[in-house]
């Protein structure tokens, strides 16, 4: 009995041991790793730099009137004093008017002498003769312009008549060769017929004349040919101008048709000679028509310039006469107090106009913006110059090139000052970034200027500032810890939990958060499980 129980125990032990071996042999050993679930959230990208409080005050300056820049007296970085001229516009006309107004005021104040009246009368007589001469010159200029232009149109009309007749003859020569050698439906015959149809349609106004005979062609008189005949009958500029343009286009189509004929041994010597002659004729006519068009355009431009100059001379002479007559009338009428006061007001008006052509510095300071260039046209009320004084406070920081690309004008910065500890915060914004680098300890940096959002009496020049610049912010975006990303073959990857194991997934990234998180722009979806630690 005892032997039987012992056998049972042994059998049960073997069974249990076997089951244990089977369990451990067949179970799947799962790797141990940490992961995060991809969620949407907000991240901020910041750059941390150190700067120093410095005094500064900026004013933006603009012209009150538009005009061409004559002089730039200060460039960015120059120190200027109150009243210093920074930029001026071309103001010779206003300056001359001011001098004339002052001279006239002096005359009023002194009164006129007999010899001055005589001189003024002589000036009026001379001014009248100048006006008469200018008006006669304008009349002559108009007459000459009309005659010269008409000569060009007459020449153009003769050239048009010659061109369309030569062009029609070229079609006759082409048709003779077509009928003799290329009347079939082979490739050459089809091409010649197609190009001939286009030429006939343009020149004579008939469609589908690809295989028309010369006797039929001679009955056509539409197209450019008809337009030219109408221009000959009614030789107006409005008829000749389109005739020139359309004749040129038709000649090019005839040229194309002639050059479509292959020079083969089938052509007789006479045919080859005739074909070559027509090509030469058409090429010559194309050049002739183009030359006539150009001659008309050049003459019209010259006429406009000459007449414009003559009109300007008449206007200037008329204005000079009016001024001379006013001066004479003033001298004859004598001076009254009201006239002197009116002229004084006129002088002040020109002085005010002259001041509007100059930008002067309203403060002692440094030029921080200068967008004017000599010769440029400056609009009114557009800020082109800025001067910064040392009465307001600014912050300057030298930002390394690794961070400067993230920063732009208008970015805000949260900051603390060593003088007040890390629990006292101030806010500023970026107002300027130097375009040129400064090398500090072998590293390229860019001086960036910040303005405090609000004035604070605790701020003093020279204080050290620790700033966190908000360069970008992402709202409701996918983000994962940066440490979960690795690079393979130049691409960025992460490991995704997958069926008890993991798989690699290529991704694309965006913003880098100040807390170590990175925006994922491609490759992940909300709810994915990303491995952040995988043991060796």
């Amino acid at each position: 009995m005892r032997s039987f129980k012992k056998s049972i125990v042994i059998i049960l032990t073997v069974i249990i041991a076997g089951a244990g071996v089977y369990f451990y042999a067949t179970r799947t050993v799962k790797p141990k790793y940490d992961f995060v679930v991809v969620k949407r959230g907000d991240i901020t990208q910041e750059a941390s730099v150190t700067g120093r409080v410095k005094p500064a005050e900026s004013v933006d300056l603009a012209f009150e009137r538009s005009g061409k820049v004559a002089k730039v007296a200060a460039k960015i970085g120059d120190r200027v004093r109150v009243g210093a001229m920074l930029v001026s516009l071309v103001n010779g006309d206003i300056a001359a008017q001011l001098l004339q107004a002052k001279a006239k005021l002096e005359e009023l104040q002194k009164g006129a002498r007999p010899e001055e009246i005589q001189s003024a009368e002589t000036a009026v007589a001379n001014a009248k003769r100048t006006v008469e001469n200018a008006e006669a010159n304008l009349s002559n200029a108009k007459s000459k312009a009309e005659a010269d232009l008409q000569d060009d149109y007459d020449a153009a009309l003769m050239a048009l008549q010659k061109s369309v007749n030569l062009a029609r003859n070229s079609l006759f020569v082409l048709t003779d060769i077509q009928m003799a050698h290329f009347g079939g439906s082979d490739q050459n015959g089809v091409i010649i017929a197609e190009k001939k149809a286009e030429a006939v349609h343009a020149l004579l106004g008939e469609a589908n004349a690809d295989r028309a005979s010369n006797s039929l062609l001679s009955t056509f008189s539409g197209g450019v040919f008809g337009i030219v005949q109408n221009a000959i009958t009614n030789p107006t500029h409005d008829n000749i101008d389109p005739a020139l343009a359309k004749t040129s286009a038709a000649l090019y189509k005839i040229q194309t048709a002639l050059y479509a004929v292959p020079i083969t041994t089938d052509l007789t010597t006479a045919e080859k000679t005739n074909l070559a002659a027509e090509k030469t004729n058409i090429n010559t006519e194309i050049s002739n028509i183009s030359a006539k068009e150009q001659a008309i355009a050049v003459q019209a431009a010259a006429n406009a310039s000459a007449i414009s100059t003559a009109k300007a001379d008449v206007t200037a002479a008329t204005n000079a006469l009016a001024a001379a007559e006013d001066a004479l009338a003033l001298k004859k009428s004598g001076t009254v107090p009201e006239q002197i006061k009116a002229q004084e007001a006129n002088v002040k008006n020109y002085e005010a106009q002259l001041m509007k052509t100059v930008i002067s510095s309203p403060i002692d300071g440094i030029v921080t913006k200068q967008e004017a260039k000599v010769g440029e046209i400056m609009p009114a009320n557009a800020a082109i110059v800025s001067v910064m004084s040392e009465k307001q406070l600014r912050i300057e920081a030298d930002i390394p090139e690794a961070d400067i690309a993230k920063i732009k004008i208008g970015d805000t910065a949260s900051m603390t000052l060593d003088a007040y500890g890390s629990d006292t915060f101030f806010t500023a914004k970026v107002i300027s970034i130097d375009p040129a680098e400064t090398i500090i300890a072998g590293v390229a940096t860019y001086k960036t200027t910040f303005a405090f959002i609000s004035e604070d009496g605790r701020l003093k020049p020279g204080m050290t500032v620790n700033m966190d610049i908000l360069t970008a912010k992402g709202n409701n975006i996918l983000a994962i810890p940066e440490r979960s990303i690795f690079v393979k073959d130049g691409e960025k990857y992460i490991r995704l939990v997958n069926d008890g194991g993991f798989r690699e997934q290529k991704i694309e990234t965006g913003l880098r958060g100040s807390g170590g998180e990175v925006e994922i722009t491609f490759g992940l979806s909300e709810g994915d499980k990303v491995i952040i630690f995988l043991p060796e």
Side-chain angles (χ1 to χ4, degrees), residues 153 155 193 317 333 401 407 533:
Y153 271 103
S333 63
E401 61 179 330
I407 299 171
F533 172 74

Side-chain angles (χ1 to χ4, degrees), residues 55-59 363-366 387-392 394:
E57 179 186 1
S58 181
V59 290
I363 59 174
D364 294 340
I366 300 173
V387 180
M388 183 173 66
S389 76
E390 299 180 352
K391 292 183 180 180
Q392 295 179 349
R394 297 287 186 262

Side-chain angles (χ1 to χ4, degrees), residues 316-396:
T318 302
N319 291 340
L321 174 59
E325 289 174 337
D326 288 344
L328 175 60
L330 184 62
K331 291 184 182 298
K332 286 183 174 181
S333 63
T335 302
V336 295
E338 289 76 12
Q339 289 176 316
I340 293 177
K341 289 182 179 180
Q343 190 59 27
E344 287 174 342
N346 199 26
V347 169
K348 290 180 179 179
N349 175 60
Y350 283 124
E351 288 175 340
Q353 292 298 320
L354 193 62
M355 290 179 63
K356 292 180 181 180
T357 65
V358 177
I359 292 180
S360 300
S361 177
I363 59 174
D364 294 340
I366 300 173
V367 178
T368 59
K369 174 183 176 182
Q370 175 56 276
E371 295 184 350
K373 295 181 181 178
V374 174
E376 283 188 335
I377 301 299
M378 290 290 106
N381 303 317
I384 59 172
V385 182
S386 296
V387 180
M388 183 173 66
S389 76
E390 299 180 352
K391 292 183 180 180
Q392 295 179 349
L393 297 179
R394 297 287 186 262
I395 302 167
E396 289 185 1

Side-chain angles (χ1 to χ4, degrees), residues 33-39 480 484 494-499 501-503 505 524-532:
Y33 44 68
D34 293 333
F35 64 86
V36 293
V37 178
V38 179
K39 297 179 180 179
I480 61 174
S484 63
I494 51 89
R495 297 183 178 93
L496 285 177
V497 176
N498 183 37
D499 296 332
F502 65 86
R503 64 181 177 84
Q505 172 66 39
L524 288 181
S525 300
E526 190 172 3
D528 288 345
K529 296 177 179 179
V530 177
I531 296 172
I532 59 175

Side-chain angles (χ1 to χ4, degrees), residues 9-255:
V9 170
I10 293 171
I11 292 171
L12 289 174
T13 302
V14 171
I15 291 172
I16 292 171
V21 170
Y22 176 79
F23 173 75
Y24 283 103
T26 58
R27 77 186 183 102
T28 301
V29 179
K30 296 184 178 179
K32 296 180 180 179
Y33 44 68
D34 293 333
F35 64 86
V36 293
V37 178
V38 179
K39 297 179 180 179
R40 291 190 175 275
D42 301 336
I43 66 171
T44 58
Q45 178 176 273
E46 296 179 336
S48 298
V49 297
T50 300
R52 192 169 299 277
V53 178
K54 293 192 175 184
E57 179 186 1
S58 181
V59 290
D60 295 327
L61 305 173
F63 286 110
E64 293 186 46
R65 57 176 289 171
S66 61
K68 182 185 292 184
V69 176
K71 184 178 181 180
V72 176
K75 62 181 181 299
I76 293 177
D78 285 354
R79 282 182 166 80
V80 294
R81 305 290 295 178
V82 173
M85 191 271 282
L86 305 178
V87 186
S88 66
L89 299 178
V90 173
N91 55 20
D93 55 340
I94 300 176
Q97 290 170 335
L98 176 59
L99 289 175
Q100 291 175 358
K102 287 182 176 180
K104 187 173 182 179
L105 177 60
E106 290 179 0
E107 290 179 1
L108 289 174
Q109 291 170 337
K110 292 178 181 178
R113 297 187 301 274
E115 58 270 23
E116 289 178 338
I117 294 177
Q118 178 62 44
S119 177
E121 290 175 344
T122 301
V124 169
N126 292 337
K128 286 181 178 179
R129 283 194 293 272
T130 302
V131 170
E132 293 170 356
N133 292 337
E135 290 174 342
N137 183 57
L138 174 59
S139 178
N140 293 336
K142 289 180 177 179
S143 298
K144 184 177 185 303
E146 182 178 353
D148 291 344
L149 188 60
Q150 188 58 48
D151 288 344
D152 287 328
Y153 271 103
D154 291 343
L157 192 58
M158 292 179 63
L160 285 170
Q161 186 174 17
K162 176 186 174 186
S163 292
V164 295
N165 288 330
L166 287 174
R168 188 165 67 167
N169 187 70
S170 293
L171 286 179
F172 292 158
V173 172
L174 174 65
T175 300
D176 287 338
I177 296 175
Q178 178 192 32
M179 295 300 181
H181 305 285
F182 302 104
S185 58
D186 60 341
Q187 183 178 0
N188 287 333
V190 170
I191 291 174
I192 292 172
E194 177 186 343
K195 300 306 178 183
K196 174 185 172 181
E198 293 175 358
V200 171
H201 186 259
L203 181 67
L204 301 176
E206 290 293 330
N208 303 317
D210 52 341
R211 299 185 186 276
S213 65
N214 283 338
S215 60
L216 183 58
L217 290 179
S218 62
T219 65
F220 300 153
S221 60
V224 171
F225 188 87
I227 292 173
V228 171
Q229 302 313 310
N230 180 60
I232 293 171
T233 304
N234 301 291
T236 65
H237 296 179
D238 289 340
N239 286 338
I240 296 173
D241 285 333
L244 285 167
K246 293 180 180 181
T247 298
S248 180
L251 289 173
Y252 276 110
K253 290 188 178 297
I254 294 171
Q255 180 191 59

Side-chain angles (χ1 to χ4, degrees), residues 217-520:
L217 290 179
S218 62
T219 65
F220 300 153
S221 60
V224 171
F225 188 87
I227 292 173
V228 171
Q229 302 313 310
N230 180 60
I232 293 171
T233 304
N234 301 291
T236 65
H237 296 179
D238 289 340
N239 286 338
I240 296 173
D241 285 333
L244 285 167
K246 293 180 180 181
T247 298
S248 180
L251 289 173
Y252 276 110
K253 290 188 178 297
I254 294 171
Q255 180 191 59
T256 301
L258 291 173
Y259 280 91
V261 177
I263 308 302
T264 65
T265 55
D266 294 336
L267 270 66
T268 66
T269 300
E271 289 172 336
K272 292 178 181 178
T273 300
N274 292 339
L275 182 61
E278 294 308 318
K279 290 179 180 178
T280 299
N281 290 339
I282 293 300
N283 291 340
T284 300
E285 292 310 307
I286 289 174
S287 298
N288 288 341
I289 295 300
S290 176
K292 299 307 179 186
E293 288 181 301
Q294 183 66 21
I296 289 173
V298 169
Q299 188 61 53
N303 290 351
S305 177
I307 292 172
S308 177
T309 299
K311 286 181 177 179
D313 290 342
V314 170
T315 300
T318 302
N319 291 340
L321 174 59
E325 289 174 337
D326 288 344
L328 175 60
L330 184 62
K331 291 184 182 298
K332 286 183 174 181
S333 63
T335 302
V336 295
E338 289 76 12
Q339 289 176 316
I340 293 177
K341 289 182 179 180
Q343 190 59 27
E344 287 174 342
N346 199 26
V347 169
K348 290 180 179 179
N349 175 60
Y350 283 124
E351 288 175 340
Q353 292 298 320
L354 193 62
M355 290 179 63
K356 292 180 181 180
T357 65
V358 177
I359 292 180
S360 300
S361 177
I363 59 174
D364 294 340
I366 300 173
V367 178
T368 59
K369 174 183 176 182
Q370 175 56 276
E371 295 184 350
K373 295 181 181 178
V374 174
E376 283 188 335
I377 301 299
M378 290 290 106
N381 303 317
I384 59 172
V385 182
S386 296
V387 180
M388 183 173 66
S389 76
E390 299 180 352
K391 292 183 180 180
Q392 295 179 349
L393 297 179
R394 297 287 186 262
I395 302 167
E396 289 185 1
D398 294 310
I399 298 180
E401 61 179 330
D403 293 325
I404 197 64
K406 306 174 187 176
I407 299 171
K408 62 184 180 300
I409 303 297
D411 284 347
T412 59
S414 176
M415 62 189 70
T416 61
L417 278 71
D418 288 353
Y420 299 110
S422 60
D423 295 330
T424 303
F425 294 92
F426 301 85
T427 307
K429 66 177 180 179
V430 178
I431 60 172
S432 68
I433 301 173
D434 276 10
E437 80 284 358
T438 301
I439 304 300
I440 300 177
V443 177
T445 63
Y446 296 81
K447 186 171 73 175
T448 303
T449 304
F450 300 77
F452 286 100
I453 298 299
S454 59
E455 295 293 332
D456 194 313
R458 295 173 294 174
L459 302 172
K460 299 291 186 292
M463 288 182 171
T464 301
V465 182
N466 305 300
M467 295 180 287
D468 292 323
I469 307 167
L470 178 61
T471 59
K473 185 175 182 180
N475 296 321
N476 194 32
I477 62 174
L478 300 178
I480 61 174
E482 185 174 9
R483 66 180 183 277
S484 63
I485 301 172
F486 63 95
V487 178
K488 183 174 71 174
D489 298 329
E491 303 285 352
K492 296 177 181 179
Y493 288 84
I494 51 89
R495 297 183 178 93
L496 285 177
V497 176
N498 183 37
D499 296 332
F502 65 86
R503 64 181 177 84
E504 294 181 350
Q505 172 66 39
K506 185 167 71 171
I507 60 169
E508 295 179 4
T509 61
L511 297 178
R512 294 182 179 273
S514 56
E517 65 274 28
V518 178
E519 177 189 6
I520 303 302

